[in-house]
Amino acid sequence: MNKKVLVQDLGLKDYKETWDNQEQLFKETLDLKIRNRREALDLETPNHFLYVEHPHVYTLGKSGDISNLLVDEKVLAAKGATFYKINRGGDITYHGPGQIVGYPILDLDNFFTDIHKYLRFLEEMVILTLAEYGIKSERSPGETGVWLDVGTPFARKICAMGVRASRWVTMHGFALNVNADLGYFDMMIPCGIKGKAVTSLNVELGKKEVDLVDVKQKLLKHFQVLFEAEMIEKTEA
């Protein structure tokens, strides 16, 4: 079992370009697993963790409802945003500058073969990170992601999640609002859940901006402990 995870920060990068990158890494790992099975080999499968910020973009998951996007593509274009239908679970999600997006492309055979546990661990990574900033966050029953003030009229989502898995290889991941422009969430029904607000870490802390690098390091620290992984940072793009 290979518990090494190659970490790469892509910076600000186009959604489609990053999606293609994910798909390539995903396919390479799947192909290796298939070869191992067919040829009775035991070649080590890789694990990746991509960090990225995207220009303004809305993505709709396989089971999503397009009516949860409240504007047409002309309005999106005027706001400098794009739209994609994609192959993850979940409904509609927004990505944009000031939001930390993480795409773990893991072979769960290297860790544990349980998608439910995988999602709970990603949520726990975010919950533990926010706690370091004095923010109490939690899960909301039946709603994947990380929330504040669950069960109250002030419930608000700070981190969205949606993953795809095949043969225990994962892709897509999480989006944590750190310095996000929350105005862009007004053009959709976030994750298809009506009547729930969204928030961002800087808003909760009453700050103009939170250091993204610091948040990323904290997330990786908790990921490493939860997954019992060895994180290896790749510096070049």
Side-chain angles (χ1 to χ4, degrees):
M1 287 169 40
N2 174 30
K3 289 184 173 286
K4 295 177 181 178
V5 179
L6 186 63
V7 181
Q8 190 171 5
D9 194 330
L10 303 177
L12 183 67
K13 206 168 193 68
D14 174 74
Y15 184 84
K16 183 63 168 63
E17 188 178 346
T18 310
W19 186 12
D20 289 344
N21 188 6
Q22 274 196 86
E23 289 277 14
Q24 180 62 34
L25 296 174
F26 182 78
K27 183 179 183 300
E28 286 172 2
T29 303
L30 277 179
D31 287 349
L32 184 54
K33 293 192 77 169
I34 292 167
R35 185 183 169 202
N36 276 342
R37 178 171 294 185
R38 286 179 177 169
E39 301 178 23
L41 300 173
D42 192 23
L43 300 173
E44 201 172 72
T45 53
N47 305 292
H48 302 269
F49 190 119
L50 305 180
Y51 269 137
V52 67
E53 278 183 86
H54 291 306
H56 303 294
V57 61
Y58 295 84
T59 69
L60 186 70
K62 289 183 296 184
S63 58
D65 185 346
I66 188 61
S67 68
N68 290 323
L69 180 63
L70 303 177
V71 298
D72 62 26
E73 293 198 37
K74 287 184 179 179
V75 175
L76 292 183
K79 295 285 283 184
T82 53
F83 172 78
Y84 293 99
K85 287 184 179 179
I86 62 173
N87 58 358
R88 61 161 169 78
D91 205 283
I92 195 162
T93 301
Y94 159 79
H95 298 309
Q99 183 188 71
I100 293 175
V101 179
Y103 295 129
I105 304 160
L106 310 179
D107 178 3
L108 290 182
D109 270 320
N110 289 323
F111 301 94
F112 48 78
T113 49
D114 186 331
I115 293 296
H116 178 80
K117 181 178 178 179
Y118 173 64
L119 285 166
R120 301 296 80 79
F121 270 21
L122 291 184
E123 290 166 346
E124 189 67 15
M125 169 191 69
V126 174
I127 289 167
L128 292 171
T129 296
L130 294 175
E132 293 200 56
Y133 292 92
I135 302 295
K136 182 182 182 299
S137 60
E138 56 193 314
R139 298 171 182 86
S140 181
E143 298 171 336
T144 301
V146 179
W147 299 73
L148 280 61
D149 290 333
V150 171
T152 77
F154 309 105
R156 55 207 183 278
K157 194 171 195 176
I158 195 166
C159 181
M161 291 185 184
V163 303
R164 176 191 174 198
S166 178
R167 296 178 185 261
W168 300 114
V169 180
T170 67
M171 65 178 291
H172 300 298
F174 67 92
L176 174 61
N177 298 331
V178 179
N179 303 313
D181 182 344
L182 298 180
Y184 278 83
F185 287 93
D186 294 338
M187 294 193 287
M188 68 177 194
I189 300 173
C191 301
I193 304 169
K194 295 181 180 178
K196 295 283 182 75
V198 294
T199 190
S200 190
L201 182 57
N202 66 327
V203 172
E204 296 299 324
L205 294 177
K207 293 184 175 181
K208 183 179 179 182
E209 208 166 88
V210 178
D211 185 348
L212 288 175
V213 173
D214 186 57
V215 180
K216 289 175 183 177
Q217 289 174 343
K218 286 176 168 58
L219 287 166
L220 286 182
K221 175 183 68 177
H222 294 300
F223 180 96
Q224 179 170 344
V225 172
L226 289 163
F227 286 84
E228 299 178 349
E230 179 185 350
M231 313 306 283
I232 301 171
E233 296 208 28
K234 182 178 178 182
T235 53
E236 70 271 16

